[in-house]
Amino acid sequence: MAEFARWPMPRAKAAWISEEGTKMARGPRERGPRDDRGQREDSDLVEKLVSINRVAKVVKGGRRFGFAALVVAGDGRGRVGVGSGKAREVPEAIRKATEQAKRNMIRVPLREGRTRHHDINGRFGAGRVTLRAAPAGTGIIAGGPMRAVFEALGVHDVVAKSIGSSNPHNMIKATFEALERIEGPRAIAARRGKRVGDILGRRETGEGAEKEAVNV
């Protein structure tokens, strides 16, 4: 039989193979300090499990059970988020809820880093809550679901009351609806075209006004 001529390998393919070989020889790419910073931020977050329920899905042949988790996460310095997750196992449901809470974090201005600037009401569905600022030393006076939000947010003095549904999802979402509408002196002064000292009043001008402006 006649021997077939051996075709030479195309140069482009040979170059691609050599480049891949070089990449494989170098090994995995090293992580920079940016990834380490993200890991440190995640480790500093405060995670609170608010509720976990067993849910059932009716399928052909019976019912399929799973778990639904509600988690609140915050950094304790004015940022907080809420998330929910479902899975066949409890740890997986909590993991999904925690990841969603980290993605949905909001920033809330705090007064002196311990309480809110003003009183406000929140409503979501049948849930209604009232949030009031409190003097130093009051502590967190709130129910279970709302207490988890304030602890993750970093609030130390607050008085909260739920006057609507006792469903944890409605209470949490009503609380977040109220927190999203809280404004600090700097935002109000910018909208009105005034100084921060004029918004806070004569008693808190000077050093007090500067301290409030920094904590906005």
Side-chain angles (χ1 to χ4, degrees), residues 108-113 117 185-186 210-216:
V108 181
L110 299 179
R111 181 179 182 180
E112 300 177 359
H117 288 282
R186 181 177 299 178
E210 295 178 358
K211 189 175 181 181
E212 288 290 338
V214 171
N215 293 325
V216 172

Side-chain angles (χ1 to χ4, degrees), residues 59-203:
V59 297
K60 183 178 180 180
R63 290 186 298 176
R64 182 177 300 171
F65 293 98
F67 296 91
L70 182 64
V71 175
V72 173
D75 60 355
R77 296 185 298 271
R79 295 177 66 241
V80 66
V82 62
S84 59
K86 294 181 180 180
R88 297 289 299 274
E89 301 294 337
V90 175
E92 183 66 15
I94 296 176
R95 185 190 64 81
K96 290 182 179 180
T98 303
E99 291 181 356
Q100 185 179 7
K102 293 178 181 179
R103 292 193 302 266
N104 299 333
M105 297 185 72
I106 62 173
R107 181 171 293 279
V108 181
L110 299 179
R111 181 179 182 180
E112 300 177 359
R114 61 172 183 83
T115 188
R116 299 179 330 281
H117 288 282
H118 54 83
D119 301 345
I120 194 168
N121 299 327
R123 183 168 185 174
F124 182 88
R128 291 187 298 169
V129 297
T130 300
L131 312 181
R132 295 182 178 179
T138 302
I140 300 177
I141 302 177
M146 289 189 292
R147 173 179 289 272
V149 175
F150 296 134
E151 290 179 352
L153 180 61
V155 174
H156 303 289
D157 304 298
V158 65
V159 178
K161 178 68 175 178
S162 174
I163 53 180
S165 172
S166 60
N167 186 297
H169 290 265
N170 288 338
M171 291 178 62
I172 291 292
K173 292 180 180 179
T175 304
F176 270 81
E177 194 271 339
L179 294 176
E180 290 177 351
R181 292 188 290 111
I182 293 179
E183 294 182 319
R186 181 177 299 178
I188 297 176
R191 187 173 67 250
R192 296 182 180 179
K194 297 183 178 181
R195 296 179 299 178
V196 177
D198 298 335
I199 301 298
L200 297 177
R202 296 181 178 179
R203 293 181 302 174

Side-chain angles (χ1 to χ4, degrees), residues 6-64:
R6 181 174 299 176
W7 293 94
M9 182 177 294
R11 293 184 178 180
K13 191 172 184 180
W16 176 79
I17 292 177
S18 61
E19 184 179 356
E20 290 294 328
T22 305
K23 289 182 179 180
M24 293 178 64
R26 290 178 181 176
R29 184 178 179 181
E30 296 182 357
R31 299 292 182 180
R34 185 174 183 179
D35 296 335
D36 297 340
R37 185 172 65 251
Q39 293 178 1
R40 289 198 301 268
E41 291 179 356
D42 292 342
S43 62
D44 295 339
L45 294 179
V46 179
E47 301 172 2
K48 299 286 185 178
L49 178 62
V50 177
S51 68
I52 185 165
N53 296 326
R54 192 181 74 168
V55 296
K57 180 181 179 181
V58 179
V59 297
K60 183 178 180 180
R63 290 186 298 176
R64 182 177 300 171

